[in-house]
Amino acid sequence: MTTAPGLNPPGLPARAVKGVVLLACCAVVILPFITIVSTSLATREQVTRSGGMVFLPDEISFAAYQAIFNGDVVTRAILVSLMVTVVGTTLSLVSTTLLAYGLSRRGSVAHKPFLMIVLFALLFTPGIIPSYLMVKSLGLIDTYWSLILPVMINAFNVIILRAFFMELPEEVIDSARIDGAGDFAILWRIVLPLSKGVLAVVALFYAVSYWNAFFSALLYLNDISMWPLQLVLRTFVVNQTQVGVDQLGVAGADLPPQEAIQMAILVLSIIPILVVYPFVQRHFTKGVLIGAVKG
């Protein structure tokens, strides 16, 4: 019995090469993260001795995290980011689901014009100046709505959900209509329970987008007290702004090293996504392949 071409198991050299490449890729991802966490837990002497970044600390210190949570700036920024992420993700998921379901029903009112608008928005995005003028004309400057409303519906996510809804069995929906169920009843009792996987993927897409967004806050929020965590992180790390008594409320002599504070803020910005991602990771393959294979 012959084996079809291309189906032979790889030999030992090929498996060894794949293992080395996989280990190298893991090292590229894991080693910087270990360095960030280690630096946030290092003491002043260790940071000074290593020249700024510590790979493995000899002694663990939580002074940087204590300083962050004792102050108002970072703590308030974390609460702002959580609020914007939760509210924005909820509104985005609801509006995207309703729009996608309406576009998936071929008999809906103005089906094709709305679909063309969504496709146009997917291909062409507004510039910074038109977006700013629109937000300003709506009176959203220095409000948290400026971080949510302009990006509440993502055309790519609408297309993903629409493709999934169109693949649902029409027989199930038709039988529900025969039993007297309306569109909202069908959506709530039939479509949504069958779409938990793709909804989890879209919700994660939105949550990551809201959590990591900083440029919209830089444009629309002039009040520093309203800044989300990512913008505070950019100010402290990217701009190399010194984190001191005014931001943390810690005496200068007790202030942890700047590198430790900056890395601690970075760790706090990463943790929520790391916590949420494993619960929806198994849905990603399904969500990415939606609409790619018909049948």
Side-chain angles (χ1 to χ4, degrees):
M1 181 177 178
T2 60
T3 305
L7 297 181
N8 294 325
L12 181 60
R15 292 200 299 269
V17 171
K18 291 180 180 179
V20 171
V21 172
L22 181 60
L23 288 176
C25 294
C26 292
V28 170
V29 175
I30 295 175
L31 292 181
F33 182 74
I34 294 177
T35 303
I36 291 172
V37 176
S38 299
T39 304
S40 69
L41 298 173
T43 61
R44 180 179 297 277
E45 292 76 13
Q46 293 172 340
V47 172
T48 303
R49 186 170 63 251
S50 63
M53 300 296 289
V54 179
F55 181 66
L56 291 175
D58 300 329
E59 180 183 353
I60 294 179
S61 172
F62 293 95
Y65 293 94
Q66 292 175 355
I68 287 174
F69 289 111
N70 286 336
D72 295 333
V73 174
V74 179
T75 305
R76 183 171 57 246
I78 293 175
L79 296 177
V80 169
S81 291
L82 288 174
M83 183 271 295
V84 171
T85 300
V86 172
V87 175
T89 301
T90 302
L91 293 178
S92 294
L93 190 61
V94 171
S95 57
T96 301
T97 301
L98 293 176
L99 179 58
Y101 180 70
L103 294 177
S104 66
R105 303 300 98 189
R106 298 188 182 277
S108 57
V109 179
H111 166 81
K112 291 185 177 180
F114 279 113
L115 181 58
M116 290 298 104
I117 293 175
V118 172
L119 293 176
F120 185 85
L122 179 63
L123 298 175
F124 303 98
T125 57
I128 297 176
I129 295 178
S131 299
Y132 181 85
L133 294 177
M134 176 60 69
V135 171
K136 184 177 180 180
S137 65
L138 294 176
L140 300 179
I141 298 296
D142 278 334
T143 65
Y144 292 124
W145 290 113
S146 63
L147 308 181
I148 298 175
L149 294 182
V151 293
M152 191 169 67
I153 297 180
N154 183 279
F156 177 75
N157 294 333
V158 173
I159 298 301
I160 289 180
L161 278 179
R162 175 181 178 271
F164 183 85
F165 291 157
M166 293 183 67
E167 291 182 357
L168 295 177
E170 289 289 343
E171 295 80 5
V172 177
I173 297 177
D174 291 339
S175 63
R177 292 189 185 279
I178 294 175
D179 292 337
D183 288 328
F184 284 100
I186 293 173
L187 176 63
W188 181 257
R189 298 179 181 178
I190 298 177
V191 175
L192 294 184
L194 295 175
S195 309
K196 293 180 179 178
V198 65
L199 290 175
V201 173
V202 172
L204 185 61
F205 284 165
Y206 276 123
V208 172
S209 177
Y210 281 115
W211 180 261
N212 290 332
F214 74 93
F215 190 67
S216 56
L218 184 63
L219 288 178
Y220 306 136
L221 298 182
N222 300 316
D223 188 355
I224 298 179
S225 63
M226 300 178 64
W227 281 5
L229 179 62
Q230 301 300 333
L231 188 52
V232 173
L233 175 65
R234 179 183 180 274
T235 303
F236 288 164
V237 178
V238 178
N239 292 350
Q240 295 297 317
T241 301
Q242 294 292 306
V243 188
V245 180
D246 294 338
Q247 292 83 10
L248 301 178
V250 181
D254 300 329
L255 191 66
Q258 294 293 321
E259 294 82 359
I261 295 177
Q262 292 171 353
M263 294 306 104
I265 298 174
L266 184 57
V267 170
L268 292 176
S269 68
I270 297 174
I271 286 177
I273 303 302
L274 292 181
V275 172
V276 174
Y277 179 78
F279 295 99
V280 295
Q281 185 271 339
R282 61 190 180 92
H283 298 297
F284 260 95
T285 302
K286 182 178 179 181
V288 172
L289 295 179
I290 288 173
V293 179
K294 303 292 291 185

